[in-house]
Amino acid sequence: MSPLRAKSGELIGYFQWQPFTPGASVIKSVYPVILLVGGSALLLMSFLGHAIWRRSQSLDESQQDLRQLAMHDPLTGLANRTTFHAALSERLEKATVKNNVAMMFVDLDHFKEVNDTFGHPVGDILIKEVANRLLELAHGSVTPTGRCWSASWPPTVTLSKD
């Protein structure tokens, strides 16, 4: 507020000016809508971001499962023939006098008779049990690298020393 004075210096009143601000009244009336739209957008972005993250996690898990299936025997979890040959080649390339490689082939005699007599589910249980027992015997000093099927039945479980 500014004082208004006559030429003589006498106070004749006060000058008060209020600027015309049409935008302020619009903003004041639209402010709740802006907050609602902004909050909704933030909530939607959070929801979509979380959904994309979950989908990405699910895709990663699926890829890991597929990689496991592609590289390992589904019955025993041991490496399949392709993975076995790759691991063997790698170990043979790194083999030295101090870092030697040893292999052991395990053949289940009369396995066909087990399948013929007791059925394939029992044969599968036997193969799993043999693989588990070999893993228990290894105690980290021997690495089971694969389960390979020879041209004739039975399966071969192969171990190699790291």
Side-chain angles (χ1 to χ4, degrees), residues 76-103:
T76 63
L78 297 176
N80 63 15
R81 183 187 314 263
T82 304
T83 306
F84 164 72
H85 286 297
L88 179 61
S89 296
E90 181 182 329
R91 288 183 179 150
L92 288 175
E93 286 176 11
K94 293 179 181 179
T96 62
V97 174
K98 292 183 180 181
N99 183 24
N100 54 18
V101 176
M103 289 185 59

Side-chain angles (χ1 to χ4, degrees), residues 31-52:
Y31 187 70
V33 175
I34 291 173
L35 282 179
L36 181 65
V37 169
S40 298
L42 182 63
L43 186 63
L44 179 64
M45 297 289 259
S46 296
F47 176 74
L48 289 175
H50 183 69
I52 290 170

Side-chain angles (χ1 to χ4, degrees), residues 81-130:
R81 183 187 314 263
T82 304
T83 306
F84 164 72
H85 286 297
L88 179 61
S89 296
E90 181 182 329
R91 288 183 179 150
L92 288 175
E93 286 176 11
K94 293 179 181 179
T96 62
V97 174
K98 292 183 180 181
N99 183 24
N100 54 18
V101 176
M103 289 185 59
M104 177 177 79
F105 292 94
V106 178
D107 185 21
L108 301 178
D109 288 336
H110 309 291
F111 185 78
K112 184 176 180 337
E113 293 172 17
V114 171
N115 272 345
D116 290 345
T117 305
F118 301 105
H120 290 278
V122 173
D124 289 351
I125 291 170
L126 176 63
I127 291 171
K128 286 186 222 178
E129 187 60 32
V130 168

Side-chain angles (χ1 to χ4, degrees), residues 8-61:
S8 63
E10 180 184 343
L11 180 64
I12 57 173
Y14 291 95
F15 177 73
Q16 183 176 1
W17 178 69
Q18 291 202 342
F20 178 63
T21 56
S25 63
V26 171
I27 288 176
K28 188 176 184 181
S29 64
V30 178
Y31 187 70
V33 175
I34 291 173
L35 282 179
L36 181 65
V37 169
S40 298
L42 182 63
L43 186 63
L44 179 64
M45 297 289 259
S46 296
F47 176 74
L48 289 175
H50 183 69
I52 290 170
W53 177 79
R54 279 188 309 181
R55 179 69 64 121
S56 176
Q57 291 296 105
S58 175
L59 182 60
D60 285 345
E61 290 171 9

